[in-house]
Amino acid sequence: MTQATDERTARKEYIRRRQKTVFGIAGAILVIALVISLLFFFHVGGLGNVKSTAVQPNYGHQAPCAIKDTDGKAKYVENRNITLRVLNGTKFSGFAKAVSDALQNREFNTQTPGNYTKKIDRTMIVFGKNGINQAYTVASNFTDAMLVMDDRQDQLVDVVVGATFDNLADVKSVPAAGKPITSIKGCVTADKMTNLSKASEHDAVNPQS
């Protein structure tokens, strides 16, 4: 009888030791997991930091510097002195007309809007060498547009609305005419802009209703 009691006691002691071991290991794992989680949460050593792609100036496209006046300053142009045309580069019908009307309300001289030859993501402000400051002025009314120079000789500025367009910049944030233009970082003088696309490549395919 004494032997059976000793065996039960020994078995219970063995079970208790196993439970302590299992609980100890589980507790250690939980502590380690908590420590690792805290390291990521507080970005210790850079852990958990999400690397975001830096947006390049003009979204990676070469752009001309703004043209300086005789006083050595480049200045924004009066909206009423700029003629522009809005082209729809999205799948949404009537988009160009809506944007054109909004720009007309800001006193730009707008031509009949149209549809672009293809669908694009990023809104483009397209212009020639004689409309650089005008293009900078138009671009200041957008939050996500890039400047694209082609070989046109006139001062017409085309606004090709892309899929990322959401709304025009708030009027209060748009620089007033006569204010100095801050040229795009990494810009070059107009005469160094090479391999320009043909103006016809940025034309409308048909008027938009």
Side-chain angles (χ1 to χ4, degrees):
M1 185 68 178
T2 301
Q3 183 176 358
T5 301
D6 291 341
E7 289 178 354
R8 284 197 296 271
T9 301
R11 187 162 53 249
K12 288 180 180 179
E13 183 63 27
Y14 171 72
I15 292 174
R16 280 196 295 270
R17 286 200 302 270
R18 285 192 58 188
Q19 288 175 336
K20 288 181 180 179
T21 301
V22 171
F23 290 147
I25 293 173
I29 292 173
L30 289 174
V31 170
I32 293 172
L34 177 61
V35 171
I36 293 174
S37 297
L38 290 173
L39 289 176
F40 274 89
F41 182 78
F42 291 105
H43 306 304
V44 177
L47 293 173
N49 284 329
V50 178
K51 293 183 179 180
S52 57
T53 303
V55 178
Q56 296 180 328
N58 204 41
Y59 301 97
H61 288 73
Q62 189 177 58
C65 301
I67 305 298
K68 296 180 180 180
D69 294 337
T70 53
D71 60 358
K73 296 180 180 179
K75 301 174 183 177
Y76 287 102
V77 182
E78 288 276 0
N79 291 357
R80 61 174 63 93
N81 294 331
I82 299 175
T83 299
L84 60 79
R85 174 180 55 177
V86 182
L87 304 177
N88 189 1
T90 77
K91 63 181 180 181
F92 303 106
S93 178
F95 211 15
K97 186 177 187 308
V99 176
S100 182
D101 289 345
L103 290 171
Q104 188 176 42
N105 289 336
R106 298 190 178 192
E107 299 186 340
F108 287 99
N109 291 315
T110 58
Q111 293 188 353
T112 303
N115 290 312
Y116 192 49
T117 54
K118 57 185 177 181
K119 302 296 183 291
I120 62 171
D121 289 326
R122 186 72 56 186
T123 297
M124 301 188 302
I125 309 298
V126 189
F127 57 97
K129 64 179 182 180
N130 294 312
I132 295 176
N133 289 5
Q134 289 88 335
Y136 269 95
T137 302
V138 174
S140 69
N141 288 265
F142 291 80
T143 59
D144 66 341
M146 64 181 179
L147 298 179
V148 178
M149 184 173 169
D150 63 17
D151 69 352
R152 68 185 63 189
Q153 300 300 309
D154 57 23
Q155 294 185 328
L156 175 67
V157 176
D158 280 327
V159 177
V160 186
V161 183
T164 61
F165 174 80
D166 181 50
N167 203 350
L168 294 177
D170 189 280
V171 175
K172 295 179 181 178
S173 68
V174 178
K179 291 290 185 179
I181 297 175
T182 300
S183 294
I184 291 173
K185 185 178 180 180
C187 67
V188 298
T189 56
D191 59 349
K192 292 184 180 179
M193 294 287 294
T194 58
N195 299 322
L196 298 176
S197 59
K198 298 294 182 182
S200 58
E201 295 179 17
H202 300 124
D203 213 341
V205 291
N206 59 276
Q208 181 176 343
S209 58

